[in-house]
Amino acid sequence: MSLLHYAQKLFSLDTLDTRFTTSSRAPSKTTDNTQLDPAKSSTKEAETNARQQSGGKSTALQDAVSPALWRTPEFYSYYVIFLVCVPLMFKAVYDISKPSHPNYQNYVDLLSPGWISGRMVDNSDNQYSTFRDNVPYMFILVVVHPLLRRLYEAIYPLKDMPPKASPMQEQKSNSTFPLELAQARMKRRVTFDFYFALIFLCALHGFSALKVLFILYTNFLVAKRVPRQYVVAATWIFNIGILFANELGKGYPYSTIATSILPWSATPDVDIDGKSRTNWGSTLDTYGGLVPRWEILFNITVLRLISFNLDYTWSLDRERSSPVEKKQLDLANLSDRERIDTPAQHQDYSFRNYLAYVLYSPLYLAGPIITFNDYISQAHYTPRSVTTRRTIMYGVRFLICLLTMEVMLHFIYAIAISKAQPAWEVYTPFQLSMLGYFNLHLIWLKLLLPWRFFRFWALLDGVDPPENMVRCMSDNYSTLAFWRAWHRSFNQWIVRYLYIPLGGSGRSQTRSNWDKIRAGLNFLAVFMFVALWHDIQLRVLMWGWLISLFVLPEVLAGFLFPKKRWQSHKTAYRWICGVGAVGNILMMMAANLVGFAVGLDGLQGLVHGIVGSYSGLVFLATACVALFVGVQVMFETRAEEQRQGIRMKC
């Protein structure tokens, strides 16, 4: 394999996630690893089945796409602009990150000793620094966890697992893979996940693990004890209440519990002789584990709690008509959509399976998010998409991203500069805009790296969760599509458990004005929840409101300029869409800078510095032209994907 071919394979969508190159309703494809079921069809057959199940949509997509524009004079001019602009963008932020810059002394205290070319490193982001400082230890865990599973599987091989399924059960499974072997495999995997998760939880949170387990048990009781018709409402009320309670209670320190709730069991802080004495609650708080502030990471756990309760409740509605029997599904070869939609067996919704799923170690801290149904399905049958070669290439891709982040943190101090709130007037409009731009890029990378690390760990363990980051931050022009690509597993979770139950967008062909209003309210409700889920702060709520507001121009533009009316003027339509996309990009950058970077005051300082002068306005116009060029390349990238039969909707 040539180096160029390897690089193309390494950065292909198939390496990132096979869900992007396979229909969600088609069985996932495989390449080179040995499967538990030797009777499964080959990759070629699987791809043929996928095309058949998609109803020939890939061919229709290819026919509908215009010819490639990569070698046209228009795009050759774009390449020249790229060659000039991209180096200047990096140089602008590098120049203001030099020790010789006047503002350097204002933020030098936020920098740490680095390891590249004697440069300092910007490790001032608290969220990412926690991940970065613990990368060596997490790599050890990634090696130890799969080895322990292999050891456990060697001690308890599947052949020692009884009993054989009845002929009726075999018939209901519609699978060439033995049902009793799948059940035995699920029990063995879940048992290991359960005990390892308990040890992992105690190591992470110390005695606070008891608080986590209490919340988990209460949520389980909501699913099992509350009357069926009230479970969904009770689940949402309980879990949103937990988000607020965790924030207000600051993790419920045992010292507070001891003195406030159980005062008779707590010794006084100062005894009769005036000597300081610690109550039993404070003693327990000192054993908080590796991550004492468990409540910060609990938001991701809340999503799994809701997933279990709703999957279980919906499974009760489908007990009489099993989709496995109705659709004659092969449980060993389900598609991604079928793994999510097909309910587990009633006995699989047990407390042990629930804890194993919610606390599944590779995905516990940050995700990606998989549903309970998907977890149980993958515990029964290894997904065909999990192969040794693809997992290794995914790991290499992660290491390249990690090295990229290290280089950026050593040469671009955008985070530290923004935290120091310097005198913005010192910077030119171009430098200010690049400061905001690279701030967003660093936010994108700091989220991408933990998500890909934990997904890599899950892949090593034989579980295939969705890829969270689909496209680079700079490869987005649509507000709606951006949220399908950013934190993708969360987006899918939102659609399944919140947006569709609220009514979604209704039926496009029969929607009344009220349906359209309700769809808008549903969208606002979704982003209100997303904002509260991220953090209960005003600036994050403002971010949610801004995102909801900034969707409107894109929706209105779709009504005013419907694509079907421009079929005979495709180039003009592409340019009109490019102008609208530039506005979209500017609005998305503003919203995300407010929510996750500099806040509203910082954004006002940046904007005033950029447009507060004549030279700033000239730069803004030039920047819009550059963004327009980038948007045209984004359009053509997606058109190229469609020529290959791929439509990612983002």
Side-chain angles (χ1 to χ4, degrees), residues 14-31:
D14 190 68
T15 298
L16 189 61
D17 194 338
T18 58
R19 294 171 178 85
F20 303 144
T21 55
T22 306
S23 170
S24 63
R25 298 187 182 278
S28 55
K29 57 187 179 181
T30 184
T31 54

PDB file of all heavy atoms in Angstrom, residues 14-31:
ATOM      1  N   ASP A  14     -15.087   6.132   5.949  1.00  0.00           N
ATOM      2  CA  ASP A  14     -15.268   4.756   6.383  1.00  0.00           C
ATOM      3  C   ASP A  14     -14.421   4.433   7.605  1.00  0.00           C
ATOM      4  O   ASP A  14     -14.843   3.699   8.494  1.00  0.00           O
ATOM      5  CB  ASP A  14     -14.916   3.802   5.238  1.00  0.00           C
ATOM      6  CG  ASP A  14     -15.322   2.366   5.542  1.00  0.00           C
ATOM      7  OD1 ASP A  14     -16.535   2.101   5.596  1.00  0.00           O
ATOM      8  OD2 ASP A  14     -14.425   1.529   5.736  1.00  0.00           O
ATOM      9  N   THR A  15     -13.213   5.004   7.665  1.00  0.00           N
ATOM     10  CA  THR A  15     -12.355   4.807   8.841  1.00  0.00           C
ATOM     11  C   THR A  15     -12.922   5.539  10.048  1.00  0.00           C
ATOM     12  O   THR A  15     -12.869   5.044  11.176  1.00  0.00           O
ATOM     13  CB  THR A  15     -10.931   5.299   8.546  1.00  0.00           C
ATOM     14  OG1 THR A  15     -10.374   4.521   7.473  1.00  0.00           O
ATOM     15  CG2 THR A  15     -10.037   5.164   9.770  1.00  0.00           C
ATOM     16  N   LEU A  16     -13.479   6.720   9.808  1.00  0.00           N
ATOM     17  CA  LEU A  16     -14.029   7.509  10.915  1.00  0.00           C
ATOM     18  C   LEU A  16     -15.241   6.815  11.528  1.00  0.00           C
ATOM     19  O   LEU A  16     -15.332   6.669  12.755  1.00  0.00           O
ATOM     20  CB  LEU A  16     -14.405   8.902  10.413  1.00  0.00           C
ATOM     21  CG  LEU A  16     -14.790   9.928  11.468  1.00  0.00           C
ATOM     22  CD1 LEU A  16     -13.630  10.175  12.422  1.00  0.00           C
ATOM     23  CD2 LEU A  16     -15.213  11.229  10.798  1.00  0.00           C
ATOM     24  N   ASP A  17     -16.182   6.387  10.698  1.00  0.00           N
ATOM     25  CA  ASP A  17     -17.370   5.694  11.180  1.00  0.00           C
ATOM     26  C   ASP A  17     -18.087   5.101   9.970  1.00  0.00           C
ATOM     27  O   ASP A  17     -18.450   5.833   9.040  1.00  0.00           O
ATOM     28  CB  ASP A  17     -18.308   6.658  11.920  1.00  0.00           C
ATOM     29  CG  ASP A  17     -19.383   5.928  12.731  1.00  0.00           C
ATOM     30  OD1 ASP A  17     -19.673   4.766  12.400  1.00  0.00           O
ATOM     31  OD2 ASP A  17     -19.916   6.521  13.683  1.00  0.00           O
ATOM     32  N   THR A  18     -18.306   3.802   9.982  1.00  0.00           N
ATOM     33  CA  THR A  18     -18.956   3.154   8.834  1.00  0.00           C
ATOM     34  C   THR A  18     -20.399   3.608   8.667  1.00  0.00           C
ATOM     35  O   THR A  18     -20.995   3.381   7.617  1.00  0.00           O
ATOM     36  CB  THR A  18     -18.931   1.626   8.994  1.00  0.00           C
ATOM     37  OG1 THR A  18     -19.587   1.262  10.217  1.00  0.00           O
ATOM     38  CG2 THR A  18     -17.507   1.105   9.012  1.00  0.00           C
ATOM     39  N   ARG A  19     -20.964   4.244   9.677  1.00  0.00           N
ATOM     40  CA  ARG A  19     -22.333   4.758   9.551  1.00  0.00           C
ATOM     41  C   ARG A  19     -22.437   5.816   8.459  1.00  0.00           C
ATOM     42  O   ARG A  19     -23.521   6.067   7.930  1.00  0.00           O
ATOM     43  CB  ARG A  19     -22.803   5.352  10.883  1.00  0.00           C
ATOM     44  CG  ARG A  19     -22.958   4.335  12.021  1.00  0.00           C
ATOM     45  CD  ARG A  19     -23.217   5.050  13.331  1.00  0.00           C
ATOM     46  NE  ARG A  19     -23.424   4.155  14.451  1.00  0.00           N
ATOM     47  CZ  ARG A  19     -22.451   3.628  15.175  1.00  0.00           C
ATOM     48  NH1 ARG A  19     -21.188   3.922  14.873  1.00  0.00           N
ATOM     49  NH2 ARG A  19     -22.704   2.824  16.194  1.00  0.00           N
ATOM     50  N   PHE A  20     -21.300   6.478   8.130  1.00  0.00           N
ATOM     51  CA  PHE A  20     -21.330   7.527   7.119  1.00  0.00           C
ATOM     52  C   PHE A  20     -21.332   6.960   5.701  1.00  0.00           C
ATOM     53  O   PHE A  20     -21.718   7.654   4.763  1.00  0.00           O
ATOM     54  CB  PHE A  20     -20.116   8.456   7.275  1.00  0.00           C
ATOM     55  CG  PHE A  20     -20.009   9.076   8.637  1.00  0.00           C
ATOM     56  CD1 PHE A  20     -18.776   9.298   9.226  1.00  0.00           C
ATOM     57  CD2 PHE A  20     -21.141   9.443   9.342  1.00  0.00           C
ATOM     58  CE1 PHE A  20     -18.672   9.866  10.479  1.00  0.00           C
ATOM     59  CE2 PHE A  20     -21.050  10.013  10.601  1.00  0.00           C
ATOM     60  CZ  PHE A  20     -19.804  10.222  11.168  1.00  0.00           C
ATOM     61  N   THR A  21     -20.879   5.737   5.539  1.00  0.00           N
ATOM     62  CA  THR A  21     -20.784   5.144   4.205  1.00  0.00           C
ATOM     63  C   THR A  21     -21.755   3.992   4.016  1.00  0.00           C
ATOM     64  O   THR A  21     -21.753   3.353   2.976  1.00  0.00           O
ATOM     65  CB  THR A  21     -19.351   4.634   3.957  1.00  0.00           C
ATOM     66  OG1 THR A  21     -18.973   3.726   5.002  1.00  0.00           O
ATOM     67  CG2 THR A  21     -18.363   5.794   3.936  1.00  0.00           C
ATOM     68  N   THR A  22     -22.577   3.707   5.022  1.00  0.00           N
ATOM     69  CA  THR A  22     -23.566   2.641   4.955  1.00  0.00           C
ATOM     70  C   THR A  22     -24.916   3.195   5.377  1.00  0.00           C
ATOM     71  O   THR A  22     -24.992   3.989   6.317  1.00  0.00           O
ATOM     72  CB  THR A  22     -23.182   1.468   5.893  1.00  0.00           C
ATOM     73  OG1 THR A  22     -21.860   1.045   5.597  1.00  0.00           O
ATOM     74  CG2 THR A  22     -24.143   0.305   5.717  1.00  0.00           C
ATOM     75  N   SER A  23     -25.963   2.775   4.714  1.00  0.00           N
ATOM     76  CA  SER A  23     -27.300   3.210   5.094  1.00  0.00           C
ATOM     77  C   SER A  23     -27.588   2.821   6.531  1.00  0.00           C
ATOM     78  O   SER A  23     -27.211   1.743   6.991  1.00  0.00           O
ATOM     79  CB  SER A  23     -28.346   2.574   4.167  1.00  0.00           C
ATOM     80  OG  SER A  23     -29.645   2.795   4.656  1.00  0.00           O
ATOM     81  N   SER A  24     -28.259   3.721   7.270  1.00  0.00           N
ATOM     82  CA  SER A  24     -28.582   3.429   8.668  1.00  0.00           C
ATOM     83  C   SER A  24     -29.513   2.240   8.804  1.00  0.00           C
ATOM     84  O   SER A  24     -29.634   1.650   9.881  1.00  0.00           O
ATOM     85  CB  SER A  24     -29.219   4.660   9.332  1.00  0.00           C
ATOM     86  OG  SER A  24     -30.453   4.982   8.701  1.00  0.00           O
ATOM     87  N   ARG A  25     -30.169   1.862   7.693  1.00  0.00           N
ATOM     88  CA  ARG A  25     -31.078   0.723   7.713  1.00  0.00           C
ATOM     89  C   ARG A  25     -30.447  -0.528   7.112  1.00  0.00           C
ATOM     90  O   ARG A  25     -31.109  -1.559   7.003  1.00  0.00           O
ATOM     91  CB  ARG A  25     -32.369   1.055   6.962  1.00  0.00           C
ATOM     92  CG  ARG A  25     -33.138   2.215   7.591  1.00  0.00           C
ATOM     93  CD  ARG A  25     -34.488   2.417   6.946  1.00  0.00           C
ATOM     94  NE  ARG A  25     -35.191   3.550   7.530  1.00  0.00           N
ATOM     95  CZ  ARG A  25     -35.887   3.505   8.649  1.00  0.00           C
ATOM     96  NH1 ARG A  25     -35.984   2.369   9.313  1.00  0.00           N
ATOM     97  NH2 ARG A  25     -36.510   4.574   9.110  1.00  0.00           N
ATOM     98  N   ALA A  26     -29.173  -0.419   6.716  1.00  0.00           N
ATOM     99  CA  ALA A  26     -28.469  -1.568   6.156  1.00  0.00           C
ATOM    100  C   ALA A  26     -27.490  -2.101   7.184  1.00  0.00           C
ATOM    101  O   ALA A  26     -26.920  -1.340   7.971  1.00  0.00           O
ATOM    102  CB  ALA A  26     -27.725  -1.160   4.889  1.00  0.00           C
ATOM    103  N   PRO A  27     -27.255  -3.422   7.228  1.00  0.00           N
ATOM    104  CA  PRO A  27     -26.288  -3.992   8.169  1.00  0.00           C
ATOM    105  C   PRO A  27     -24.920  -3.374   7.961  1.00  0.00           C
ATOM    106  O   PRO A  27     -24.500  -3.119   6.831  1.00  0.00           O
ATOM    107  CB  PRO A  27     -26.281  -5.489   7.814  1.00  0.00           C
ATOM    108  CG  PRO A  27     -27.590  -5.729   7.149  1.00  0.00           C
ATOM    109  CD  PRO A  27     -27.918  -4.450   6.420  1.00  0.00           C
ATOM    110  N   SER A  28     -24.225  -3.111   9.069  1.00  0.00           N
ATOM    111  CA  SER A  28     -22.899  -2.513   8.980  1.00  0.00           C
ATOM    112  C   SER A  28     -21.945  -3.481   8.314  1.00  0.00           C
ATOM    113  O   SER A  28     -22.054  -4.690   8.446  1.00  0.00           O
ATOM    114  CB  SER A  28     -22.378  -2.151  10.381  1.00  0.00           C
ATOM    115  OG  SER A  28     -22.400  -3.283  11.215  1.00  0.00           O
ATOM    116  N   LYS A  29     -20.965  -2.923   7.578  1.00  0.00           N
ATOM    117  CA  LYS A  29     -20.070  -3.784   6.818  1.00  0.00           C
ATOM    118  C   LYS A  29     -18.799  -4.076   7.592  1.00  0.00           C
ATOM    119  O   LYS A  29     -18.437  -3.396   8.538  1.00  0.00           O
ATOM    120  CB  LYS A  29     -19.738  -3.135   5.481  1.00  0.00           C
ATOM    121  CG  LYS A  29     -19.118  -1.755   5.576  1.00  0.00           C
ATOM    122  CD  LYS A  29     -18.992  -1.152   4.199  1.00  0.00           C
ATOM    123  CE  LYS A  29     -18.396   0.247   4.273  1.00  0.00           C
ATOM    124  NZ  LYS A  29     -18.284   0.875   2.964  1.00  0.00           N
ATOM    125  N   THR A  30     -18.096  -5.073   7.146  1.00  0.00           N
ATOM    126  CA  THR A  30     -16.869  -5.505   7.794  1.00  0.00           C
ATOM    127  C   THR A  30     -15.761  -5.600   6.760  1.00  0.00           C
ATOM    128  O   THR A  30     -15.988  -5.473   5.570  1.00  0.00           O
ATOM    129  CB  THR A  30     -17.054  -6.866   8.491  1.00  0.00           C
ATOM    130  OG1 THR A  30     -15.853  -7.185   9.182  1.00  0.00           O
ATOM    131  CG2 THR A  30     -17.361  -7.970   7.496  1.00  0.00           C
ATOM    132  N   THR A  31     -14.537  -5.809   7.242  1.00  0.00           N
ATOM    133  CA  THR A  31     -13.435  -5.960   6.311  1.00  0.00           C
ATOM    134  C   THR A  31     -12.588  -7.174   6.612  1.00  0.00           C
ATOM    135  O   THR A  31     -12.580  -8.133   5.876  1.00  0.00           O
ATOM    136  CB  THR A  31     -12.530  -4.714   6.329  1.00  0.00           C
ATOM    137  OG1 THR A  31     -12.128  -4.450   7.670  1.00  0.00           O
ATOM    138  CG2 THR A  31     -13.252  -3.516   5.764  1.00  0.00           C
TER     139      THR A  31
END
